[in-house]
């Protein structure tokens, strides 16, 4: 019987010592039709293993509403066909720069600070989820002829808490559910992280981007025997909206990889191929030493300056890593698969239809609620999307400052139908005072939930109240517009589109809304991946043929959205643009895609 084990000396496959040369590739960040190509790229780089997280919120966005849990199994089958082993990190918390760290909003909204602890009610929903998910893993363990060799218990728990009772319970649950392959934990190479995140009897691994010898020395203080492994070798980094892009020099990263291997350790390159945060699933961070400061939303691209870029192409870093890994391979490396083809030439999509945000919300939004205070997104069951709050300013009364306390994250405000400003968490008061009586609308948007640190699970929307001077305005009507409302086949058919010229005549209301257009690709030879640009547009979401590419934002640094080749089709194609702040030119353009990242690092990851 085939087996994979961990002993005092290292990893063993059927009793033979092995070194794991792994790369992270998240199945949920790559179009399914591209899994095979991306896995072949990892094999060609010299890897023998692939690692993936599992985002609970993607598969159960609302309690009991399970969505395509089998995607993990299909990915693991693709891993087996590629001749690779698999490391699965099922969470329930994953971080991963993913919305809410992978936890569903109905979980964090209900349990708050009790998540990721021994709390019995929280553990009950985790157990129910794991019993739904884990058969996908159990059936594909190496002892059953599948590719799965390692499974993680939780994720970087030492960066969050110290509840050993919870961690030991979770490890036991994995075993109860049939996981027999070795379990492991992963944490930063710091004493407090390893003491908080390790579980007796489980392999502890370390996460870092450089300084392998120092990092492994710390790990050895806590785990004197067993294999050394860097479970996350950060070969690049991710970007935030409004910040400088991050690049890590290829030669420097290759040197750090070599140092890990010279220590006799195994490695998981994070990321080998990052992919894309489609459909608004990008998370966010908080700045400052305690992750409690400035809000930093993550961009749509998860390119990560990885060796295989967002478009599936080999970069300079790929070729340097391949040279390093070749020295540790048992034989010649696999040949590179053909480079993915880009769109044959630029294509312009004219936007000819428009519907205002109010009409879109009437057609696709949730029912409107009324309550004394503004409900949060969590209370309304909105994960990704926006909420329209409406409240009256009584009158007559003189003009006073009007704002929203506890706003997360951004809101466009209208007073009696006239745009009055944009509010943010940092700037929560309108520039001009408001007199009463008046009718106020706040279109609040979540820019991504925090995925790491003590602010994990913080609610979205107006979490305090709408204030006129120092007086709360009560009697708030709220209506959610969830992004997944656009996913249902034919959903947009219910939207009352008019000609795009109507937007220009609608005053302030015409600056936002859902814009629709079409473009044509002639001949199958012209098909391939594309990069989509929105000249002059401010902030919103784009769909091509019903597939949500994710958020765009003029704040940068990302200017081009990745369009997977399988999304496009020969002949007629459709595009929708949901603009939430200020529309641009009445067209978007698709081209062959963004260039491969090259050059010296502009900002080096920590």
């Amino acid at each position: 019987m085939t087996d994979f084990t961990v002993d005092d000396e290292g990893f063993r496959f059927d009793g033979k010592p092995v070194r794991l040369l792994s790369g992270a590739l998240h199945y949920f960040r790559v179009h399914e039709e591209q899994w095979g190509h991306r896995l072949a790229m990892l094999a060609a780089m010299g890897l023998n293993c692939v690692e993936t997280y599992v985002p609970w919120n993607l598969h159960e966005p609302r309690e009991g509403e399970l969505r395509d849990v089998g995607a993990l199994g299909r990915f693991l089958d693709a891993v087996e066909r590629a001749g690779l082993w698999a490391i699965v990190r099922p969470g329930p918390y994953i971080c991963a720069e993913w919305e809410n760290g992978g936890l569903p909003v109905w979980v964090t909204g209900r349990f708050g600070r009790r998540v990721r602890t021994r709390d019995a009610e929280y553990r009950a929903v985790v157990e129910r989820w794991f019993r739904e998910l884990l058969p996908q893993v159990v059936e594909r363990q190496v002892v059953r002829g599948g590719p799965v060799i390692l499974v993680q218990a939780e994720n970087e728990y030492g960066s969050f808490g110290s509840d050993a009772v919870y961690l030991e319970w979770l490890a036991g649950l994995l075993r109860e559910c049939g996981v027999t392959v070795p379990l492991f934990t992963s944490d930063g190479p710091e004493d407090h992280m390893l003491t908080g995140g390790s579980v007796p009897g489980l392999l502890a691994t370390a996460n870092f981007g450089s300084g392998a010898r120092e990092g492994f020395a710390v790990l050895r203080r806590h785990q004197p025997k067993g294999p050394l492994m860097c479970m996350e070798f950060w070969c690049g980094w991710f970007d935030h909206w409004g910040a400088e892009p991050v690049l890590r020099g290829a030669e420097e990263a290759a040197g750090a990889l070599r140092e890990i291997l010279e220590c006799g350790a195994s490695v998981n390159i994070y990321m080998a191929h990052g992919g894309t945060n489609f459909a608004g699933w990008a998370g966010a961070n908080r700045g400052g030493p305690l992750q409690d400061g400035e809000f930093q939303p993550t961009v749509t691209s998860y390119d990560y300056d990885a060796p295989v870029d967002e478009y599936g192409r080999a970069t300079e870093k790929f070729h340097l890593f391949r040279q390093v890994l070749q020295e540790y391979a048992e034989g010649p490396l696999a040949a590179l698969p053909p480079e993915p083809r880009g769109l044959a030439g630029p294509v312009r999509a004219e936007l000819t239809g428009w519907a205002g945000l109010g009409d879109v919300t009437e057609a696709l939004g949730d029912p409107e609620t009324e309550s004394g205070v503004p409900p949060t997104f969590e209370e309304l069951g909105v994960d990704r999307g926006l909420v329209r709050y409406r409240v009256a300013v009584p009158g007559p009364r003189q003009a006073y400052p009007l704002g929203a306390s506890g706003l997360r994250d951004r809101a466009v405000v209208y007073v009696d139908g006239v745009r009055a400003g944009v509010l943010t968490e940092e700037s929560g008061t309108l520039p001009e005072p408001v007199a009463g009586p008046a009718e106020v609308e706040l279109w609040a948007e979540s820019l991504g939930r925090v995925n790491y640190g003590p602010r994990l699970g913080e609610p979205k929307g107006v979490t305090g109240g709408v204030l006129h001077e120092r007086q709360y305005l009560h009697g708030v009507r709220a209506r959610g517009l969830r992004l997944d409302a656009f996913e249902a086949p034919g959903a947009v058919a219910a939207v009352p589109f008019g000609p795009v010229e109507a937007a220009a005549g609608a005053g302030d209301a015409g600056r936002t809304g859902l814009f629709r257009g079409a473009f044509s690709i002639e001949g199958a030879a012209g098909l391939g991946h594309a990069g989509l640009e929105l000249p002059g547009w401010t902030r919103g979401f784009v769909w091509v043929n019903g597939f949500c590419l994710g958020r765009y934002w003029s704040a940068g640094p990302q200017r081009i959205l990745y369009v997977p080749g399988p999304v496009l089709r020969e002949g007629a194609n459709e595009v929708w643009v949901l603009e939430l702040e200020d529309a641009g030119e009445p067209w978007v353009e698709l081209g062959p895609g963004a260039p491969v990242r090259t050059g010296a690092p502009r900002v080096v990851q920590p």
Side-chain angles (χ1 to χ4, degrees):
M1 180 177 68
T2 300
D3 201 7
F4 184 88
T5 57
V6 176
D7 62 23
D8 287 349
E9 304 304 319
F11 296 116
R12 294 184 183 274
F13 184 76
D14 281 347
K16 177 185 176 182
V18 295
R19 186 200 298 257
L20 297 184
L21 303 173
S22 179
L25 188 162
H26 301 153
Y27 67 94
F28 46 92
R29 283 179 158 130
V30 180
H31 193 285
E32 184 166 351
E33 292 183 33
Q34 298 172 322
W35 287 347
H37 175 269
R38 303 306 194 258
L39 290 167
M41 290 293 290
L42 268 58
M45 192 165 64
L47 303 179
N48 58 21
C49 187
V50 63
E51 171 267 307
T52 188
Y53 281 123
V54 181
W56 183 4
N57 52 7
L58 178 69
H59 295 298
E60 194 179 8
R62 282 167 286 282
E63 186 171 13
E65 186 180 309
L66 295 174
R67 295 188 178 184
D68 197 15
V69 179
L72 173 61
R74 296 195 304 276
F75 177 72
L76 294 174
D77 292 342
V79 171
E80 183 178 11
R81 290 192 296 271
L84 299 170
W85 289 319
I87 299 170
V88 180
R89 304 168 81 183
Y93 163 82
I94 64 171
C95 185
E97 290 71 60
W98 188 259
E99 163 86 5
N100 219 30
L103 295 173
V105 297
W106 60 266
V107 171
T108 53
R110 181 184 305 171
F111 300 115
R113 60 194 176 93
R114 293 184 286 155
V115 300
R116 305 183 74 192
T117 72
R118 70 187 76 182
D119 179 82
E121 292 180 304
Y122 170 69
R123 286 189 296 155
V125 296
V126 171
E127 179 171 355
R128 191 182 68 217
W129 161 238
F130 268 23
R131 292 194 183 279
E132 291 283 353
L133 170 71
L134 289 175
Q136 302 291 323
V137 178
V138 170
E139 296 164 6
R140 294 168 174 85
Q141 295 178 103
V142 69
V143 292
R144 300 193 183 189
V148 178
I149 56 171
L150 288 172
V151 172
Q152 181 173 260
E154 245 278 353
N155 181 61
E156 293 185 314
Y157 190 74
S159 298
F160 176 80
S162 58
D163 194 339
V165 172
Y166 165 62
L167 287 183
E168 291 181 16
W169 169 83
L170 189 68
L173 176 61
L174 290 165
R175 292 299 189 211
E176 283 182 29
C177 290
V179 177
T180 59
V181 297
L183 302 178
F184 70 93
T185 59
S186 64
D187 289 284
E190 299 185 38
D191 290 326
H192 72 287
M193 294 182 180
L194 287 164
T195 53
S198 300
V199 177
L202 270 60
L203 173 69
T205 65
N207 301 339
F208 51 78
S210 59
R213 290 179 176 84
E214 295 83 355
F216 287 139
V218 176
L219 182 59
R220 274 290 180 241
R221 292 206 299 267
H222 295 262
Q223 184 171 265
K225 297 180 180 180
L228 291 172
M229 183 164 188
C230 178
M231 188 54 67
E232 292 186 15
F233 164 54
W234 303 318
C235 66
W237 208 244
F238 52 91
D239 292 336
H240 288 129
W241 290 115
E244 287 294 311
V246 178
L247 284 176
R248 183 177 187 182
E251 291 187 3
E252 190 269 337
L257 174 61
R258 182 182 297 279
E259 182 183 356
I260 292 171
L261 300 178
E262 287 174 348
C263 292
S266 292
V267 67
N268 178 53
I269 297 169
Y270 192 100
M271 297 291 299
H273 170 60
T276 310
N277 295 311
F278 297 118
W281 283 110
N285 293 97
R286 288 280 181 181
L290 298 178
Q291 290 85 48
D292 201 36
E294 178 192 3
F295 180 69
Q296 300 168 326
T298 302
V299 303
T300 296
S301 172
Y302 201 61
D303 178 88
Y304 210 88
D305 194 23
V308 181
D309 79 355
E310 187 176 15
Y311 291 73
R313 302 169 298 196
T315 65
E316 178 188 8
K317 192 174 290 181
F318 176 96
H319 293 291
L320 291 178
F321 280 17
R322 192 171 193 260
Q323 291 174 18
V324 172
L325 293 166
Q326 172 72 78
E327 300 174 27
Y328 297 86
E330 295 184 355
L333 301 185
L336 272 69
E339 183 173 300
R341 187 173 61 188
L343 202 64
V347 177
R348 178 172 291 192
E350 302 289 343
L351 301 174
T352 57
W354 169 78
L357 267 184
D359 288 336
V360 175
T361 303
E362 290 296 320
L364 301 179
D366 296 333
E368 188 168 68
T369 67
E370 185 168 357
S371 56
V373 298
T376 65
F377 279 45
E378 283 69 16
E379 290 167 331
L380 292 169
V382 176
D383 53 4
R384 297 154 297 123
L386 59 155
V387 169
R388 180 188 66 189
Y389 296 101
R390 297 197 289 184
V391 65
V393 178
R397 60 173 63 185
Q398 70 182 69
Y400 289 117
L402 187 141
S405 65
L407 175 64
R408 302 194 185 106
D409 296 307
R410 192 175 179 94
V412 180
V413 183
Y414 298 84
V415 177
D416 291 332
V418 178
R419 180 163 157 158
V422 177
L423 303 182
T424 65
E425 179 178 306
E426 298 77 22
S427 179
T429 303
L430 291 176
E432 298 294 333
V434 175
E439 186 72 19
V440 177
E441 284 190 358
L442 298 92
W443 290 87
E445 182 190 2
S446 167
L447 298 174
R449 285 177 175 80
V450 169
N451 53 258
Y452 178 83
R455 296 284 284 268
L456 176 72
E458 64 182 12
K460 293 294 186 178
V462 180
T463 67
V466 180
L467 286 164
H468 194 224
E469 204 254 349
R470 72 196 70 183
Q471 182 188 75
Y472 283 113
L473 298 178
H474 292 119
V476 180
R477 291 155 288 161
R479 188 167 193 177
L481 179 61
R482 293 177 286 110
L483 280 190
D484 57 11
F486 294 81
E487 294 176 4
V492 176
V495 175
F497 286 101
V500 73
E501 291 78 13
D508 287 333
R511 298 164 69 178
T512 63
L514 186 63
F515 295 76
R516 181 171 66 178
F519 60 96
S520 181
I521 299 175
E522 302 303 326
L527 289 173
H529 63 236
L532 185 144
E533 297 187 69
L534 299 103
W537 296 75
T538 305
R539 197 185 79 260
F541 296 88
V542 184
W543 291 258
V544 172
N545 295 329
F547 182 90
C548 186
L549 305 181
R551 175 180 281 112
Y552 66 89
W553 195 354
S554 59
Q558 183 175 0
R559 303 292 179 186
I560 300 173
L561 293 181
Y562 171 63
V563 186
V567 169
L568 299 173
R569 54 197 181 212
E570 183 181 358
N573 294 261
E574 188 171 32
V575 60
W576 313 328
V577 180
L578 182 67
E579 172 59 52
L580 303 176
E581 198 159 323
D582 207 352
E585 299 292 339
W587 46 269
V588 300
E589 186 165 274
L590 293 89
V596 176
R597 288 190 177 193
T598 58
R602 291 193 286 275
V603 178
V604 178
Q605 49 66 261

